[in-house]
């Protein structure tokens, strides 16, 4: 096994915001509290040390109730019990309920979380650190989660849906299982995957329970704690913040101001706040709450309340109120003794919009850590890359850039016309001097001729490059086939391939090897050869 790394910036797949954050650019400091390094976790522990004891008791009770449905490991049960202790803190990641985990980065998020808790325990032995996976059970975008990719095919679940995805019935997944089962083939790894899919989705009634089972089976030996925050006891603790949102619209005001600051620095905005960042949630319904004509309404329904009626309803049924992407992070930090959130680039981008909101409502803002990103390659891939003289930087290049660079390198003729272009420009510099001395009206003609001749050289260079591509087509094809295998559809492997595709080859060693190699605080894109 061999592990290498490359800077996120050099991959070309991450935004300037994320790359600047990793570089700790001073102008971004106002959008977060502490940068994630081992030393700064001491400061974060101090900031979260006054976490409410009653909240700990409620959290533990809710988790124990939820874990009655699955067989937890001793370590996961220990972690749940430890959450009652004032010296216990969580490291949290969150993810949608993607069918059969969705893309590979589901694994990388959770492994990053597990490994960070282990590293922190070594550094701060007087404290306990619990890895938490927050299931996004209240999301309602079924189209984002109802498929996964396996060997170039899309395994798709067709279903009429409405409301929160966690409550979706698993009816219809038997047909998906039958098709997937055929594609798996034979062998002990294929049999294990069949059994995992079957027990997760065919033996559980809803998507939340199925996903909890699945994540537990994959990571229970490492003490992962899985939470479904769609719970009335947990929501009750969030009532004061929901009231503030309904009456004062604090999130909209603070986030809108932060967005202006981010835009002024040249960054794109990940999410835009609404005047009320809450949904109303019932069976088969999750719709926005709005304030119009002096009443509160649920869009696309006939539900309306005045202020006193709505606040009374909130206190009676807090589980009906669901935070959107702007308020969910606050909800997380209110109910968990959390130190750090681990997420992808898109997630961290919207977290950067929230610091001022957290400060305004007086909730400690967590550290933000970019999850590990990984390119997994086989020993065969490793040998091919070496034989074709393809560097780790080369393999991340976009297709045309990659081909052009490699053709220039392996060609036995020089396809770079830079020296000819520079010589031509120098000749025209002399002509410009001559024109200045004779007739300045001649300058336009000189410029036009320079542009024409430079364009001619560029055309010749492109035609020569194309001719060499054709001549070296066999080598180009081997290189592009290899890049296709590692970057399916021209995208990062981790955003496309499902873990089952790799499990077929590596079995249990897949997760164990990744846990050995992933270093969450390294802030590098990892290239792991298994």
């Amino acid at each position: 096994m061999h592990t290498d790394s490359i800077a996120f910036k050099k991959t070309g797949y991450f935004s300037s915001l994320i790359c600047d954050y990793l570089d700790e650019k001073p102008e971004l400091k106002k959008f977060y509290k502490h940068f994630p390094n081992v030393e700064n976790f001491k400061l974060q522990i101090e900031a979260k040390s006054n976490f409410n004891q009653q909240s700990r008791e409620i959290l533990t009770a809710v988790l124990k109730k939820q874990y009655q449905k699955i067989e937890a490991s001793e370590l996961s049960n220990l972690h749940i019990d430890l959450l009652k202790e004032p010296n216990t803190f969580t490291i949290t990641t969150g993810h949608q309920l993607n069918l059969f985990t969705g893309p590979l980065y589901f694994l990388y998020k959770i492994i990053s979380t597990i490994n960070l808790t282990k590293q922190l325990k070594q550094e701060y032995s007087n404290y306990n650190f619990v890895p938490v996976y927050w299931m996004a059970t209240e999301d309602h975008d079924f189209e984002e989660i109802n498929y996964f990719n396996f060997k170039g095919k899309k395994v798709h679940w067709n279903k009429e849906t409405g409301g929160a995805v966690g409550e979706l019935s698993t009816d219809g997944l038997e047909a998906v299982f039958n098709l997937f089962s055929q594609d798996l083939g034979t062998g002990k790894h294929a049999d294990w995957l069949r059994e995992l899919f079957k027990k997760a989705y065919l033996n559980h009634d809803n998507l939340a329970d199925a996903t909890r089972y699945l994540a537990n089976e994959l990571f229970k030996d490492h003490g992962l704690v899985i939470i479904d925050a769609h719970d009335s006891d947990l929501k009750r603790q969030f009532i004061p913040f929901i009231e503030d949102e309904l009456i004062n619209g604090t999130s909209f005001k603070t986030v809108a101001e932060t967005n202006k600051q981010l835009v002024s620095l040249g960054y794109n905005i990940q999410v835009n706040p609404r005047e009320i960042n809450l949904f109303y949630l019932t069976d088969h319904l999750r719709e926005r709450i709005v304030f119009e004509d002096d009443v509160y309404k649920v869009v696309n329904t006939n539900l309306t309340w005045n202020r006193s009626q709505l606040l009374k309803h909130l206190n009676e049924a807090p589980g009906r109120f669901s935070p959107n992407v702007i308020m969910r992070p606050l909800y997380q930090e209110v109910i968990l003794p959390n130190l750090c959130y681990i997420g992808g680039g898109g997630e961290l981008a919207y977290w950067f919009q929230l610091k001022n909101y957290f400060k305004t409502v007086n909730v400690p803002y967590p550290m933000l850590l970019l999850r590990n990103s990984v390119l997994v390659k086989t020993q065969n891939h490793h040998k091919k890359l070496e034989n074709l003289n393809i560097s780790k930087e080369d393999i991340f290049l976009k297709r045309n850039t990659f081909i052009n660079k490699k053709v220039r390198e392996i060609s036995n003729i020089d396809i770079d016309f830079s020296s000819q272009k520079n010589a031509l420009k120098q000749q025209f510099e002399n002509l410009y001097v001559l024109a200045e001395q004779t007739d300045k009206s001649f300058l336009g003609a000189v410029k036009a001729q320079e542009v024409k001749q430079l364009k001619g050289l560029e055309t010749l260079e492109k035609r020569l490059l194309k001719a060499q591509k054709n001549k070296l087509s066999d080598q180009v094809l081997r290189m592009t086939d290899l890049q296709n295998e590692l970057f399916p559809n021209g995208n990062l492997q981790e955003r496309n391939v499902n873990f089952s595709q790799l499990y077929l080859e590596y079995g249990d060693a897949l997760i164990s090897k990744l846990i050995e190699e992933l270093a969450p605080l390294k802030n590098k894109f990892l290239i792991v050869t298994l």
Side-chain angles (χ1 to χ4, degrees):
M1 183 175 62
H2 172 75
T3 297
D4 201 349
S5 64
I6 183 174
F8 281 98
K9 184 184 295 185
K10 290 185 176 181
T11 68
Y13 284 92
F14 293 83
S15 69
S16 60
L17 176 63
I18 294 303
C19 293
D20 288 349
Y21 176 58
L22 296 178
D23 288 340
E24 299 184 64
K25 291 287 183 69
E27 56 267 30
L28 270 178
K29 183 66 177 71
K30 68 172 73 173
F31 302 107
Y32 63 94
K33 186 71 174 177
H34 302 300
F35 190 78
N37 57 46
V38 170
E39 295 76 19
N40 282 345
F41 271 95
K42 181 61 176 174
L43 299 174
Q44 198 66 37
I45 289 170
E46 292 171 359
K48 201 73 176 185
S49 60
N50 61 350
F51 188 75
N52 185 278
Q53 182 59 37
Q54 185 180 7
S55 295
R56 289 181 178 277
E57 299 287 344
I58 294 170
L59 176 63
T60 301
V62 168
L63 286 169
K64 286 189 173 183
K65 179 177 64 177
Q66 293 181 356
Y67 266 76
Q68 289 176 354
K69 301 179 180 181
I70 57 174
E71 184 179 341
S73 67
E74 288 186 16
L75 185 55
S76 291
N77 281 326
L78 173 62
H79 281 161
I80 292 171
D81 286 332
L82 285 173
L83 286 169
K84 289 186 290 188
E85 303 300 324
N87 66 334
T88 299
F89 300 93
T90 62
I91 304 296
T92 303
T93 193
H95 198 65
Q96 296 170 296
L97 307 189
N98 294 72
L99 185 62
F100 214 43
T101 76
L104 268 168
Y105 66 78
F106 173 85
L107 268 63
Y108 304 155
K109 275 185 169 183
I110 292 177
I111 294 173
S112 298
T113 304
I114 291 167
N115 283 0
L116 182 55
T117 60
K118 293 177 180 178
Q119 185 175 356
L120 291 175
K121 184 61 177 177
Q122 291 177 345
E123 296 289 337
Y124 301 102
S125 58
N126 291 332
Y127 298 96
N128 305 305
F129 304 95
V130 175
V132 171
Y133 161 43
W134 179 292
M135 295 196 300
T137 56
E138 295 182 46
D139 281 3
H140 60 268
D141 197 340
F142 182 64
E143 297 302 316
E144 290 187 0
I145 67 168
N146 66 345
Y147 69 94
F148 63 94
N149 296 312
F150 179 76
K151 292 186 175 181
K153 296 181 180 178
K154 180 177 280 191
V155 181
H156 199 267
W157 178 22
N158 292 308
K159 187 179 180 70
E160 292 292 327
T161 65
V165 295
E167 297 177 349
L168 280 179
S169 167
T170 52
D171 288 347
L173 277 170
E174 186 170 2
V176 178
F177 168 73
N178 290 335
L179 290 173
F180 178 50
S181 181
Q182 293 174 21
D183 288 336
L184 279 172
T186 60
K188 65 176 183 179
H189 296 163
D191 291 342
W192 185 85
L193 288 167
R194 279 191 195 88
E195 194 68 9
L196 179 64
F197 191 104
K198 183 177 179 180
K199 287 183 176 179
Y201 294 105
L202 306 190
N203 294 356
H204 292 90
D205 295 330
N206 61 61
L207 196 54
D209 289 347
T211 304
R212 183 188 293 109
Y213 174 87
L214 179 60
N216 182 66
E217 284 301 301
L218 292 173
F219 296 107
K220 63 184 177 182
D221 292 342
H222 304 281
L224 183 67
V225 172
I226 304 158
I227 186 169
D228 178 358
H230 181 25
D231 181 277
S232 292
D233 290 334
L234 295 177
K235 289 277 182 71
R236 190 164 297 282
Q237 300 172 78
F238 200 52
I239 286 177
F241 302 93
I242 297 176
E243 287 184 346
D244 173 67
E245 180 69 8
L246 293 169
I247 297 170
N248 301 315
T250 303
S251 69
F252 175 78
K253 297 170 185 174
T254 55
V255 175
E257 181 57 36
T258 299
N259 287 357
K260 292 178 184 177
Q261 296 173 16
L262 285 164
V263 169
S264 71
L265 293 172
Y267 299 116
N268 294 325
I269 298 304
Q270 189 71 12
V271 294
N272 286 298
R274 298 186 181 275
E275 292 186 0
I276 296 177
N277 290 288
L278 291 165
F279 289 96
Y280 189 74
L281 190 62
T282 63
D283 292 344
H284 310 299
L285 173 75
R286 188 178 187 244
E287 294 284 0
R288 290 189 297 114
I289 299 173
V290 297
F291 184 68
E292 296 175 349
D293 304 321
D294 294 325
V295 295
Y296 293 92
K297 304 176 182 179
V298 178
V299 299
N300 299 320
T301 75
N302 295 321
L303 294 170
T304 62
W305 305 269
N306 62 31
R307 177 186 290 186
S308 61
Q309 289 171 334
L310 185 58
L311 295 183
K312 181 175 184 290
H313 183 45
L314 168 62
N315 281 273
E316 291 173 345
R320 294 284 179 90
F321 295 78
S322 176
N324 74 355
V325 65
I326 294 290
M327 289 193 71
R328 189 214 67 81
L330 182 70
Y331 178 40
Q332 170 189 297
E333 297 302 309
V334 167
I335 66 172
L336 294 180
N338 194 50
L339 302 178
C340 176
Y341 183 77
I342 298 179
E347 291 175 283
L348 264 56
Y350 68 71
W351 273 90
F352 288 133
Q353 299 174 233
L354 304 177
K355 183 190 171 189
N356 191 34
Y357 176 39
F358 273 70
K359 182 179 179 181
T360 302
V361 297
N362 198 30
V363 173
Y365 188 74
M367 298 170 82
L368 303 176
L369 179 62
L370 184 65
R371 64 168 174 81
N372 279 124
S373 282
V374 185
L375 172 63
V376 176
K377 54 189 176 73
T378 64
Q379 293 290 343
N380 190 37
H381 287 140
H382 185 70
K383 290 176 182 176
K384 286 182 179 180
L385 289 168
E386 285 188 336
N387 292 338
L388 292 169
N389 196 29
I390 299 175
S391 70
K392 62 184 179 184
E393 290 82 9
D394 289 342
I395 199 66
F396 280 89
L397 294 173
K398 296 299 187 285
R399 174 59 50 82
N400 286 337
T401 305
F402 172 69
I403 294 173
N404 291 345
K405 181 177 186 294
K406 299 313 294 181
V407 168
R408 291 176 190 274
E409 288 177 359
I410 64 179
S411 178
N412 58 1
I413 60 174
D414 188 3
I415 309 177
D416 187 357
F417 282 16
S418 296
S419 60
Q420 289 88 340
K421 292 175 186 176
N422 289 332
L424 184 63
K425 288 178 181 178
Q426 185 57 53
Q427 289 178 350
F428 274 93
E429 285 294 328
N430 296 332
L431 284 175
Y432 285 129
V433 173
L434 181 62
E436 288 277 0
Q437 294 173 351
T438 54
D439 186 353
K440 291 187 178 181
S441 64
F442 188 49
L443 286 171
V446 173
K447 180 64 178 176
Q449 193 61 223
E450 180 186 19
V451 171
K452 180 180 179 181
Q453 292 192 31
L454 284 172
K455 188 173 181 180
L457 280 176
E458 289 173 359
T459 300
L460 287 173
E461 185 177 18
K462 290 177 181 177
R463 291 186 65 176
L464 180 58
L465 180 61
K466 184 177 179 181
Q468 283 300 98
K469 286 181 186 178
N470 292 333
K471 182 178 180 180
L472 302 170
S473 58
D474 288 344
Q475 288 170 275
V476 170
L477 183 61
R478 288 202 300 273
M479 290 189 291
T480 53
D481 282 349
L482 181 56
Q483 192 185 47
N484 274 335
E485 290 177 21
L486 296 173
F487 291 79
N489 299 319
N491 205 347
L492 289 176
Q493 178 194 67
E494 63 179 31
R495 299 178 188 173
N496 185 288
V497 174
N498 182 260
F499 88 97
S500 59
Q501 188 169 321
L502 297 185
Y503 189 92
L504 274 181
E505 184 164 357
Y506 302 110
D508 292 341
L510 173 64
I511 289 179
S512 62
K513 293 295 185 183
L514 289 171
I515 284 179
E516 287 178 17
E517 295 302 312
L518 268 58
L521 296 180
K522 188 174 182 179
N523 289 328
K524 296 281 189 178
F525 194 111
L526 302 181
I527 305 166
V528 177
T529 304
L530 293 179

